[in-house]
Amino acid sequence: METAIFYIAALVAALATLRVVTHVNASHALIYLVVSLLAVAVIFFLLGAPFAAALEVVVYAGAIVVLFLFVVMMLNLGRTSVDRERGWLRPGMWIGPAVLAAVLLVSFVFVFWGTDAKTSGEMVGPRAVGIALFGPYIIAVELAGFLLLAALVGAWHLGRRYLEERRGADDFPEEEGANAEEAAPEASAEGNA
Amino acid sequence: MPVAVPIEHVLALAGLLFLLGLIGVLVRRNVMFLLMSLEVMMNAAGLAFVAAGARWGAPDGQIMFMFILALAAAEVAVALGIVVQLARRFESLDVDNADEMYG
Amino acid sequence: MSGMDLLWLVPAAPLVGFLILFVLHDYLPKTVAAVVGAGSVGVSALAALLVGIDYYEAGAEPTWQLLWTWMSVAGFDPAIRLYLDGLSLAMTGVITGVGFLIHVYATGYMWNDHEEPEGFARFFAYMNLFVFAMLMLVLGDNLLVLFLGWEGVGLCSYLLIGFYHQDPANGYAARKAFVVTRVGDTFMALGLFLMFRELGTIEIQESLTLANAQWSGGDTTMALIIGLLLLGGAVGKSAQVPLQTWLPDAMAGPTPVSALIHAATMVTAGVYLIARMHDIFLISPEAQLAVAVVGLVTLFIASFTALVQTDIKRVLAFSTMSQIGYMFFALGVGAWSAAIFHLMTHAFFKALLFLSAGSVILALHHEQDIFKMGGLWRKLPIPFASMLIGSICLAALPFTSGFFSKDVIMLTAFEHESHGLVFWGGAAIAAFMTALYTTRMMIVVFFGGQRTEAHDSSRLNMWGPLLVLCALSLLGGWFGFGVVAGVLPDGGLSEFSHFSPVAIITMLMPFLGIFVGWLVFGRRIIDVEALAASKAGNALKRFFFGGWGFDWLYDNAVVRPVMWAARINKGDIVDWIYRITVAVTRGAHHVGSLTQSGRLRWYAANMAFGLALFFLIVLGVIG
């Protein structure tokens, strides 16, 4: 019974992922991505990793995909972008990458097929994960902290307004209010000079 | 109620997901889809780790998955910042616009 | 502390002076540059004096001072070591003494230089470097140090001839001097290599001892070859036939440079080299004979050329050539000490002549044509007096310094075993010519009608050195011989009577020259202009004027063929090899840069493709 659930979840994950890659509408593709991630979460649970399954749902399907959704909405990818997306995706373009991927998949499977090993079927709960994480892996946790901090600083920098101002405020008339205040001292300084 | 499934089936699924993501990276010109495909690929790598951990009943696979999660979060934060800048600068999400750094 | 321990200071002081001036030349005021430039050589001269006094008090034994070992490779460890004997002491005295006087004079001469107003400190930097290099040349105890100094003075000569670098002609003159002396240097380097190969040492004294032991009385071919190669080097540096053409052009440098480098010291390096290596020439009489012939030919050619020159510095340049010819001649006939003695007295009076000429040139605002001078003796009494004294020394009137040295040379030449009469006769005619052209120069410059306004602005720092050099020129002959006696082997001159007919004729030759000169150029009993204007006279004059056609010969025999070959060789096959390499590299670069499209997806595809390839190879599907 549970084994059947595993294969059903695997099928769902594969099909949903296929739709993520092929869909022309960004919002719909994101919904398919959520489906794919939930299916993988189910698989995690069946493999005896409930903590990973929970994180998959909370962080991946929750936080990261929502972040994507924000950007999609901010960039206002509407009907025109769907049409443009159709124009970009010509059928012939799929052939090369598909062949390449098929070769790789065959190679992958060929490597590990027939090992005749099964997963243990044991539950490895959050307690065991936490003990290992803050035991032997503590350095890696610290490094992950650094990585996230660097990403935070990087994202903040990339999102700063002056990067746009360098090109001139005229490009974004809808943000005029915020720009005008910051640009004013500069303009007067130039006038004096 | 964990189950015992053949490890190669799980790994095959991980490989399939990974390669679907790869196809997406290679085909899509829209940078949003490109990033989604990247997420798919990372998720597939996480699945492979968890499966390997489950093979031995050890927590290490899950821990590696968590690091991949942290990596994905960091990557998405920076990448989406770049996407916003790209969209403002080129008024398009076509990643091929940003090809100025050729040799 | 013994004074001889100060030997290291002799070359060190000018080196320090050079470093200070070279590094700080933009920041030093002129006064400081002058004090450092002349002062460093002054310190060196003082040190040399103390060393000299101690040397003679200690019994005139050759001594060494080891500074440090240059390098030590597999049993080959050349040292930077100073060697002091009578020869190097005499040279050191001339270099530092005369050098100091010329430096002092140059502080006045270069003070208001119009052509190169920013170059005051640079000038003294080069001059100090020259003094340092020349001292290393004469004090060095092994062939490496000697060669280092040899090339160092060549470099300074190049830098100072081209000092007025705004005028391309001066740069050309500097290059000519450098290239022509380089020909000689190549011979000399080959000679030194050969010595090292044959004798296995680069220490000069040791190699000479070995040479005597190895070749003396046996097969002297190797000594002959080495001797001729060394002679080649000496000929280049000392502007002797056939490598003499650079010296007249070297007068493009400032006059103190001409006095110090191209009259008193550097050009006598060849004489020093042969004197230092005299054992080689004693072993091989053929090589020594070649030295004498070179000297005599140069003596002849130069003195005839000097007679028709119109530029006062070129007259003196050719006279320098002929006087160095005397020195070579002396070396060749075995009057070793006399050669060095003449080197010393010549340094005194030729420096005096050049510096007085410099004063005249400065007073006439850089006019060097003697036919635009004239009647200057009233206007410029000090330059006139000093130039007169220099001239009578050059002409070798009795009891001047030039007389003492030249007399010994000519009498030794007469005693030469095989060619005595020819040698003596040639030298006597040249002595007559020397007196003749000196008289012509003095009469044209200082007597007759005045043709250019003169304005003497020299101060103490200019006429002071002139006075000292006057005294040295007049009196140097009385003490000079003792300085160099005993260092080098000499013929039996002491038995020679100073009242034999040969000696009296020798003594009278300069008077005859002066008398004829006075008749021709003073009294004008022969119309020189008319003679020169006649067809044969004109051709002869032009032949003499151009230095007996050597420049023309080299231009046509060497320079033009080389230029022609270079021109037709411009696009030759050797270049094509390199061009093909360049083209292939460029092509590969373009192909490589095609893969750098800047497209993210292209890079990702390549990574995936590479991964697939890797898997296929690992699985044994391909490869």
Side-chain angles (χ1 to χ4, degrees), chain C residues 199 203-216 279 283:
Chain C
L199 302 169
E203 304 300 322
I204 293 172
Q205 302 305 319
E206 193 187 339
S207 64
L208 292 179
T209 317
L210 278 175
N212 267 326
Q214 219 162 308
W215 296 323
S216 211
D279 294 63
I283 295 167

Side-chain angles (χ1 to χ4, degrees), chain A residues 2 7 21 23 37 43 45-47 56 60 85 101 105 115 117 119-121 124 132 137 140 158 164 172, chain B residues 1-3 5 7-9 13 17 19 28 30 33 39-40 43 54-55 60 62-63 65 67 69 85 88:
Chain A
E2 284 92 347
Y7 287 107
V21 173
H23 215 290
L37 295 172
I43 293 172
F45 190 76
L46 290 174
L47 290 175
E56 178 91 359
Y60 247 128
E85 207 54 45
L105 187 62
T115 46
T119 54
S120 64
V124 180
Y137 285 102
L158 285 168
E164 312 154 12
F172 300 97
Chain B
M1 27 146 205
V3 294
V5 290
I7 185 83
E8 60 248 39
H9 292 180
L13 176 66
L17 294 181
L19 290 169
R28 305 307 294 251
N30 187 322
F33 287 95
E39 291 306 315
V40 169
N43 191 44
R55 165 72 180 81
D60 305 71
Q62 293 187 54
I63 286 169
F65 171 73
F67 289 140
L69 209 61
Q85 290 297 335
R88 286 180 177 165

Side-chain angles (χ1 to χ4, degrees), chain C residues 16-309:
Chain C
V16 170
F18 159 71
L19 290 175
I20 292 172
L21 292 170
F22 186 71
V23 173
L24 299 175
H25 69 93
D26 279 343
Y27 305 100
L28 289 178
K30 269 186 182 178
T31 321
V32 178
V35 168
V36 172
S40 64
V41 184
V43 169
S44 179
L46 206 62
L49 186 68
L50 292 175
V51 168
I53 291 169
D54 258 43
Y55 174 77
Y56 282 107
E57 276 182 356
E61 284 298 309
T63 52
W64 287 267
Q65 188 175 34
L66 178 67
L67 298 186
W68 66 86
T69 302
W70 193 345
M71 53 180 140
S72 189
V73 182
F76 172 74
D77 38 9
I80 305 279
R81 192 165 51 167
L82 304 180
Y83 178 71
L84 187 72
D85 63 357
L87 178 59
S88 57
L89 183 64
M91 292 297 291
T92 306
V94 168
I95 295 161
T96 55
V98 177
F100 173 61
L101 294 172
I102 292 173
H103 273 74
V104 172
Y105 177 87
T107 58
Y109 187 87
M110 301 301 289
W111 192 265
N112 288 319
D113 200 48
H114 301 299
E115 286 185 69
E116 200 69 23
E118 301 297 316
F120 190 75
R122 187 164 62 91
F123 176 82
F124 279 100
Y126 293 163
M127 290 285 270
N128 279 4
L129 180 64
F130 166 77
V131 171
F132 165 71
M134 189 74 198
L135 287 168
M136 288 316 284
L137 164 58
V138 299
L139 287 171
D141 189 34
N142 64 41
L143 299 175
L144 272 180
V145 179
L146 182 126
F147 194 67
L148 189 75
W150 189 271
E151 295 298 327
V153 294
L155 169 72
C156 294
S157 166
Y158 168 78
L159 291 172
L160 285 164
I161 294 170
F163 183 72
Y164 296 130
H165 57 84
Q166 311 284 4
D167 184 356
N170 295 339
Y172 176 77
R175 280 205 302 283
K176 182 174 176 184
F178 201 68
V179 171
V180 173
T181 51
R182 199 69 33 224
V183 176
D185 291 356
T186 310
F187 282 120
M188 173 167 141
L190 289 176
L192 299 185
F193 295 158
L194 203 57
M195 266 182 90
F196 178 61
R197 201 193 71 175
E198 291 299 314
L199 302 169
T201 176
I202 58 164
E203 304 300 322
I204 293 172
Q205 302 305 319
E206 193 187 339
S207 64
L208 292 179
T209 317
L210 278 175
N212 267 326
Q214 219 162 308
W215 296 323
S216 211
D219 182 15
T220 60
T221 320
M222 196 48 77
L224 175 64
I225 294 171
I226 291 173
L228 290 180
L229 287 171
L230 292 180
L231 176 63
V235 154
K237 195 59 104 192
S238 294
Q240 300 294 294
V241 172
L243 295 178
Q244 84 283 31
T245 55
W246 64 271
L247 187 61
D249 293 314
M251 296 300 131
T255 307
V257 172
S258 307
L260 178 62
I261 299 183
H262 303 115
T265 55
M266 186 192 84
V267 287
T268 58
V271 180
Y272 168 79
L273 178 73
I274 291 176
R276 178 55 85 204
M277 300 290 174
H278 62 90
D279 294 63
I280 303 281
F281 293 90
L282 283 177
I283 295 167
S284 169
E286 294 91 345
Q288 200 184 359
L289 190 64
V291 177
V293 170
V294 163
L296 193 60
V297 170
T298 310
L299 177 56
F300 237 81
I301 289 180
S303 54
F304 274 96
T305 310
L307 191 59
V308 294
Q309 295 299 317

Side-chain angles (χ1 to χ4, degrees), chain C residues 391-451:
Chain C
S391 295
I392 61 172
C393 294
L394 175 61
L397 293 190
F399 308 117
T400 61
S401 61
F403 165 76
F404 285 100
S405 49
K406 220 181 262 184
D407 202 40
V408 182
I409 293 171
M410 287 170 66
L411 297 182
T412 315
F414 184 72
E415 290 189 334
H416 192 266
E417 57 219 13
S418 49
H419 305 87
L421 202 58
V422 180
F423 280 173
W424 175 80
I429 294 172
F432 167 75
M433 291 303 297
T434 306
L436 187 62
Y437 71 69
T438 311
T439 312
R440 166 178 175 269
M441 178 182 75
M442 287 304 290
I443 288 174
V444 173
V445 172
F446 287 105
F447 296 98
Q450 191 174 346
R451 272 155 283 197

Side-chain angles (χ1 to χ4, degrees), chain B residues 22 25-29 34 95-96 98-103, chain C residues 589 593-594 596-601 603-606 608 611:
Chain B
L22 178 66
V25 168
L26 297 186
V27 172
R28 305 307 294 251
R29 283 169 72 179
L34 203 146
V95 72
D96 289 351
D99 63 348
E100 285 164 23
M101 288 180 68
Y102 54 86
Chain C
H589 160 73
S593 76
L594 280 182
Q596 301 290 311
S597 63
R599 295 183 171 216
L600 197 64
R601 299 183 306 141
Y603 296 154
N606 276 318
L611 192 67

